[in-house]
Amino acid sequence: MTFNGSWKVDRSENYDKFMEKMGVNVVKRKLAAHDNLKLIITQEGNKFTIKESSTFRSIDVVFELGVNFTYNLADGTEISGAWNLDGDKLVGKFKRTDNGNELNTVQEIIGGELVQTYVYEGVEAKRIFKKE
């Protein structure tokens, strides 16, 4: 239940380099830097619902811990994998369906902020959200 609530992106670290490594073109990277992403997270047992809304799209992501699912990133890249809890952290292990490369991500609450950490091909980025 730690993640429940409404979160708005506050800042990012190394996000442009991460997106570049993911193959996102420069125009989409510039737009994504100002996407005003908002997340509404609801956890009920092992089931999570995340309502993502940004300047570019609104989508509901529903998943169950430990169960593989497919998801399209905002740039259209399709990934497949699962989320699991590791203590107080949500840990996601995903693979791109186009090339099989791994995308690992961790979501955790640090100092009252939701910190999302992404690692792809050795490039790490963070997006930090404040609770609304």
Side-chain angles (χ1 to χ4, degrees), residues 30-45:
K30 296 298 179 203
L31 292 171
H34 305 287
D35 63 0
N36 295 313
L37 182 60
K38 182 177 175 182
L39 306 174
I40 299 173
I41 303 173
T42 308
Q43 179 186 0
E44 297 171 6

Side-chain angles (χ1 to χ4, degrees), residues 61-73 77-84 91-97 100-105:
V61 182
V62 180
F63 63 88
E64 202 168 318
L65 294 174
V67 177
N68 280 350
F69 70 103
T70 301
Y71 171 74
N72 285 332
L73 301 174
T77 302
E78 186 178 81
I79 59 173
S80 181
W83 288 99
N84 287 289
V91 178
K93 303 262 185 216
F94 297 94
K95 286 191 182 227
R96 289 177 61 144
T97 57
N101 291 347
E102 288 186 11
L103 169 62
N104 296 310
T105 183

Side-chain angles (χ1 to χ4, degrees), residues 100-130:
N101 291 347
E102 288 186 11
L103 169 62
N104 296 310
T105 183
V106 175
Q107 294 190 36
E108 59 191 317
I109 307 298
I110 300 173
E113 296 178 318
L114 173 64
V115 179
Q116 295 181 337
T117 304
Y118 311 97
V119 179
Y120 181 75
E121 298 286 292
V123 177
E124 181 178 297
K126 292 181 191 280
R127 293 200 95 186
I128 298 100
F129 294 77
K130 291 200 178 286

